[in-house]
Amino acid sequence: MYTHVNQNLLGKGVRLRFAYTLRTDAEQAELYAQGRTKLFDNAGKRLVIVTNAKPGQSIHNYGLAFDIVLLLDKNGDGVFEAASWDTKADNDKDGVTDWVKSKGWAWGGDWKSLKDYPHFEKTFGHTWKTLHVKMDNQEIISENIAGKNYIYPTL
Ligand SMILES: [Zn+2]
């Protein structure tokens, strides 16, 4: 999908990157704390609530979700210097917004509360609760690709 999106959907000066795929429970806890118990980042910037999911409650914790970001080369020098989460932008000026709503993936921008525009997920009919049971029963697949560990539930 990744190569397809970059070559066929996005034009010159726009590239798609995955910002978040699998997220550990510890990373989820850190995210959940933002705007609640952690109010400022290291630079002193006020943090807002970005998720209502505690550890184990996000589809990311089961490796079935990804967040995207668009990288922009605004002056055409081959360096992608800007990141964009603008869902309306048409940076390659082909008359179509660059944001991708992939077939079969649920989009966080469609959520009723706390919209999550970079977020896409495919749960195969599961909820975080039924996925959590699979995790507890060790019904998960683990594989190592290029030195990195990935886990998936057996669906
Ligand atoms: Zn997400």
Side-chain angles (χ1 to χ4, degrees), residues 20-21 23 28 31 58-60 65-68 108 111 116-121:
Y20 250 124
T21 51
R23 190 181 295 147
Q28 190 66 39
L31 218 54
S58 166
I59 301 303
H60 281 287
F66 62 91
D67 296 345
I68 66 170
W111 292 348
D116 189 357
Y117 295 100
H119 181 97
F120 295 82
E121 66 182 34

